[in-house]
Amino acid sequence: RERERVETRVGSVRACTLQFLGCFYIKPNFPGRCSHIANAGFLVKPAARRRGCARVMAEAFLQLAKDLGYRAVMFNLVFVTNIASLALWRSMGFQEIGRVPQAGNLKDLGFQDAIQFYYDLTTLPD
């Protein structure tokens, strides 16, 4: 159906291909009384990196998390070696709330620190 809508709007589209660029999940970061704080994980296909896909997914995630009733987001472990992720969350206004020394033993890199991030979803417009 999407192909039909595209062809109707454009007029002479011969083919429509869909590609998987990335995905994310949303879940409570903590159970029970703290389950209003969301956590998420993101994957971006290597060929789609540095093209804004992660930012589009991150913006959609924030709105979706709020719409699902979450009041905040917390990322527990963003490794210091994940430069793109660190830059994205910082640019979107996430607060750095902690640093976990030697949080993970990463392949070929050894033990690496991780940053914890927090975002208040109540600040987003309805």
Side-chain angles (χ1 to χ4, degrees):
R1 290 184 185 184
E2 183 61 29
R3 182 178 175 177
E4 292 169 2
R5 284 197 298 259
V6 170
E7 289 180 282
T8 302
R9 287 186 209 153
V10 176
S12 62
V13 174
R14 292 181 186 240
C16 179
T17 59
L18 299 176
Q19 290 186 358
F20 172 82
L21 301 177
C23 63
F24 65 90
Y25 66 82
I26 303 172
K27 67 179 188 123
N29 196 40
F30 305 103
R33 294 180 180 171
C34 299
S35 62
H36 62 281
I37 301 173
N39 182 265
F42 293 80
L43 293 170
V44 177
K45 187 177 177 179
R49 293 179 183 161
R50 302 189 59 88
R51 297 182 176 183
C53 295
R55 180 169 300 278
V56 169
M57 288 193 306
E59 290 169 353
F61 155 70
L62 290 177
Q63 189 58 57
L64 184 56
K66 181 174 181 165
D67 292 346
L68 288 170
Y70 290 103
R71 296 181 50 80
V73 174
M74 183 175 172
F75 295 144
N76 303 315
L77 299 172
V78 180
F79 292 107
V80 295
T81 55
N82 191 344
I83 304 302
S85 185
L86 293 170
L88 175 65
W89 304 129
R90 289 171 176 150
S91 75
M92 294 186 71
F94 278 71
Q95 298 172 347
E96 291 186 37
I97 59 170
R99 184 180 191 104
V100 181
Q102 300 183 7
N105 188 2
L106 306 183
K107 184 179 178 181
D108 298 327
L109 299 173
F111 288 96
Q112 298 293 315
D113 291 0
I115 306 297
Q116 294 179 317
F117 284 99
Y118 178 85
Y119 190 93
D120 182 354
L121 293 171
T122 66
T123 63
L124 289 178
D126 287 327

